[in-house]
Amino acid sequence: NAGVTQTPKFQVLKTGQSMTLQCAQDMNHEYMSWYRQDPGMGLRLIHYSVGAGITDQGEVPNGYNVSRSTTEDFPLRLLSAAPSQTSVYFCASSYSWRGAGTEAFFGQGTRLTVV
Amino acid sequence: AQKVTQAQTEISVVEKEDVTLDCVYETRDTTYYLFWYKQPPSGELVFLIRRNSFDEQNEISGRYSWNFQKSTSSFNFTITASQVVDSAVYFCALSAFAPGGATNKLIFGTGTLLAVQP
C-alpha cells in the first residue's frame, strides 16, 4: 500500500516552460487536492477534486491546471512556469469530501525551482 | 472568513522541557474540525490529531496532549518532556462545512518551528 505518490521529488524549470506534477493514490479516496508551501505562509490550496471528472479552484489557482480522469490520479499542470511558482508542492487525498474532517494523507512533496 | 493563526514562528527549548504550541482559529461555522500536522526535517507531513467542534475533551497521547477551548477558539498542543526527535515544523489546520455541503479543504496556519536542543 503506497499511499500518496508524487513525482518528481525535485525539478528545476526555466521561466516559460511547462510541466506536470504527478500524483497518484491507491486508497480509493474520493477527495484529492494540491497545496503549495512557501516560507512563512503555511500550505495554501491550489485546486481540489471531489471525484473523477470534478475539480474546483482553491485559494491560489492562477497559473495551474488540473484534471481528474480517474479516482487514482490528480496531475497538476504548470502552463508557463514563473519564478513566483518556486515552491514545495504537496498532493493530498482523503476518504470522502462529504464527511468533512477525515484525515488527509499527504505525498512526499515536490520541490520546484523556476529560474 | 476562516483563518488559523499560529503566532509563534519559532520556539527553542532544551530537551526534557515542556513546550506548548498555540493555535487560534476563526470560523463562523458551527461544525468544523481541527487538526495538527508535524513536518520533520525530511519534509513529509504527518497527521497527529483531529478534533471536531462538538468534542471539547482534551486528549493525551503519550507525551502529546491537546487542549481544545471553544470559548477562546484555541486548540493548543503541548509536548511534555520534549526530545530532539520532536524538532519539526508543526501546523494547525481547520476544515469546515461549506455552503452546499461538506468539504475537506484544509486551512493551515503558518506553522511553528520547534527546535529541541540536546
Side-chain angles (χ1 to χ4, degrees), chain A residues 31 35 37 40-43 45 48 57 90 94 96-104 106-108, chain B residues 33 35 37 39 43-45 47 50 91 95-97 100-106 108-111:
Chain A
Y31 185 87
Y35 291 85
Q37 181 180 11
M41 303 192 74
L43 281 82
L45 181 65
Y48 67 96
Q57 296 180 351
F90 286 96
S94 46
S96 171
W97 67 273
R98 295 181 192 85
T102 55
E103 174 190 348
F106 285 84
Q108 295 281 79
Chain B
Y33 293 80
F35 302 79
Y37 282 86
Q39 186 176 44
E44 73 272 23
L45 285 154
F47 167 79
R50 170 185 57 238
F91 290 100
S95 168
F97 280 86
T103 175
N104 274 332
K105 288 193 280 187
L106 287 169
F108 284 85
T110 51

Side-chain angles (χ1 to χ4, degrees), chain A residues 10-107:
Chain A
F10 301 94
Q11 184 70 50
V12 178
L13 286 180
K14 292 183 179 178
T15 298
Q17 286 185 318
S18 62
M19 79 159 294
T20 299
L21 307 186
Q22 301 291 344
C23 176
Q25 52 92 7
D26 61 1
M27 297 172 282
N28 201 31
H29 284 172
E30 286 186 336
Y31 185 87
M32 296 185 74
S33 53
W34 278 100
Y35 291 85
R36 60 177 288 173
Q37 181 180 11
D38 301 294
M41 303 192 74
L43 281 82
R44 294 180 293 168
L45 181 65
I46 305 171
H47 285 285
Y48 67 96
S49 168
V50 299
I54 307 169
T55 64
D56 205 347
Q57 296 180 351
E59 182 186 353
V60 288
N62 291 342
Y64 308 96
N65 269 0
V66 292
S67 60
R68 183 106 177 262
S69 55
T70 67
T71 300
E72 294 78 20
D73 300 298
F74 190 45
L76 178 72
R77 297 183 189 84
L78 279 71
L79 308 173
S80 177
S84 61
Q85 293 179 304
T86 294
S87 187
V88 180
Y89 291 85
F90 286 96
C91 179
S93 74
S94 46
Y95 175 66
S96 171
W97 67 273
R98 295 181 192 85
T102 55
E103 174 190 348
F105 294 82
F106 285 84

Side-chain angles (χ1 to χ4, degrees), chain B:
Chain B
Q2 295 163 353
K3 187 178 178 182
V4 175
T5 301
Q6 295 180 256
Q8 304 152 308
T9 305
E10 293 185 34
I11 301 175
S12 182
V13 299
V14 177
E15 212 170 15
K16 298 185 182 176
E17 284 186 22
D18 299 346
V19 58
T20 295
L21 309 182
D22 297 333
C23 173
V24 174
Y25 62 92
E26 296 175 29
T27 180
R28 294 183 179 177
D29 297 290
T30 55
T31 303
Y32 54 88
Y33 293 80
L34 296 162
F35 302 79
W36 277 95
Y37 282 86
K38 174 182 180 180
Q39 186 176 44
S42 52
E44 73 272 23
L45 285 154
V46 178
F47 167 79
L48 295 178
I49 190 171
R50 170 185 57 238
R51 174 68 66 214
N52 74 56
S53 53
F54 299 108
D55 181 3
E56 287 194 73
Q57 258 190 326
N58 291 332
E59 179 150 343
I60 299 174
S61 176
R63 296 184 296 105
Y64 295 172
S65 62
W66 291 269
N67 179 249
F68 177 30
Q69 291 196 337
K70 286 179 75 170
S71 60
T72 56
S73 297
S74 64
F75 186 43
N76 296 337
F77 173 30
T78 297
I79 302 174
T80 302
S82 59
Q83 299 176 1
V84 172
V85 293
D86 295 326
S87 297
V89 179
Y90 291 87
F91 290 100
C92 181
L94 167 71
S95 168
F97 280 86
T103 175
N104 274 332
K105 288 193 280 187
L106 287 169
I107 298 158
F108 284 85
T110 51
T112 297
L113 172 62
L114 174 65
V116 181
Q117 310 295 335

